[in-house]
Amino acid sequence: MTPPLAPAGWSRWLVPPAALSVHLSIGQAYAWSVFKPPLESALGLSGTQSALPFQLGIVMLGLSAAFGGTLVERNGPRWAMTVALCCFSSGFLIAALGAATEQFWLIVLGYGFVGGIGLGIGYISPVSTLIKWFPDRPGMATGIAIMGFGGGALIASPWSAQMLKSYGTGSEGIAYAFLTHGLVYAAFMTLGVLLVRVPPPGYRQKAPEGADGKAPQAAAGSLISTAQVSAKSAVRTPQFWCLWLVLCMNVTAGIGILEKAAPMITDFFAETSTPVSVSAAAGFVALLSAANMAGRIGWSSTSDLIGRKNIYRVYLGVGAVMYLLIAQFGDSSKPLFVVCALVILSFYGGGFATIPAYLKDLFGTYQVGAIHGRLLTAWSTAGVLGPLIVNWVADSQEEAGKSGAGLYGLSFTIMIGLLVVGFVANELVRPVHPRHHIPAPREAVDDQLAGEQRQHS
């Protein structure tokens, strides 16, 4: 299961496609809403009940990434991708059995619990390897892979809809759709398992040269350190918890719009002379998915130029301004509402893609995958917090007699406050104190032992 060392002359540009094969597959999670109406109709579920598989999947993503991060670092990307393949695909197969027998608990168990483990392990599986292959452009490298998770729904959503149209929207049709997903994704993810390679020991000290023949310089504000910190030590540093807050606040702000996008834009313009149709609301959701995907590669690549701390200043500071513009003027201009929402969702995606490189800058490459896994508990928290704020506030405002844009004013004010908290946390990030650094010889020995183990495998 240990991935082979890359031979001499092997192109590092083959690693991002391997990572994409996994992330494009598990990115199907963002297309779960396609299955909600058929499940509600076929099994007599409420909207809250039909969301359970997705919610549990996101929670398990964070937990499995946190607890499995060290195993991913220890066993390597091929092992991690194989585990992700088995869990994610078998989750669909269990869900197919649940749909066929009309046992909703099996769908929750399969897609949410088992598949959610595949989401978490698969999400972090290529991160450490990509960063080691691209020490000169870690933001771009992780952005390419994590872009797949954001863009997976652009493939899965129309594909799933077409399958339900062909198979039918009853329990049997849903079961066939789940079965097809499980088998096709297993084959596609296998390409990544077979293609992935790890750099030879010591490669991280040999960063590729720039066009001028010199090693690339650290971007301003990037806080790049050559020291290494273990995952166990990293969680004891204030830097880790500052970044935990940064990620949690940024994700909460983005997912608050993403989770309620279609009804939100409909509500905003329901009382105007130009209401938004159902098809236009669906198109708005597709635009948000595209912005989410584009932000993952665009903003993370930009972070290689201006530094990770500076790019998070943009995500959090400009994001707060976008929310303020929507709250104040959003219902008077559709273009303004749409553009601000697209910018916020691009920051949402960019935040996910940039955080591994930020961690690498602060803690080194030694156990960056494990550290990233622990940090993703912020995603699990935000996945509950964001929708809870927007939906609870909207419900309470509706009970108070408000309608239209008035349903969201308070929640947007809360989001602005959360983004300010994240901005302050980002400003508090400083280089890690030397007492947390591991001795350089220890990492060299670990590299040597890992290389010998791969050669004997």
Side-chain angles (χ1 to χ4, degrees), residues 12 35 59 63 117 147 158 168 204 230-231 288 303 356 386 415 442 446:
R12 62 178 182 164
F35 289 103
V59 170
L63 293 177
I117 294 173
M147 174 186 68
R204 67 172 136 242
S230 69
L288 292 181
S303 77
M415 293 300 179
R442 172 177 163 184
D446 284 349

Side-chain angles (χ1 to χ4, degrees), residues 301-376:
S301 297
T302 304
S303 77
D304 289 331
L305 302 176
I306 69 173
R308 253 59 78 174
K309 191 168 187 174
N310 286 334
I311 200 67
Y312 272 97
R313 285 169 174 153
V314 173
Y315 297 158
L316 300 161
V318 178
V321 173
M322 295 296 104
Y323 259 116
L324 181 62
L325 289 174
I326 293 178
Q328 295 296 318
F329 310 107
D331 59 343
S332 61
S333 171
K334 281 183 186 176
L336 177 67
F337 180 95
V338 171
V339 169
C340 290
L342 291 177
V343 172
I344 291 171
L345 262 293
S346 75
F347 291 162
Y348 169 82
F352 277 123
T354 309
I355 204 69
Y358 208 160
L359 292 171
K360 176 259 180 188
D361 290 351
L362 289 169
F363 303 110
T365 58
Y366 176 55
Q367 289 188 332
V368 68
I371 299 170
H372 183 222
R374 286 160 170 78
L375 195 77
L376 288 182

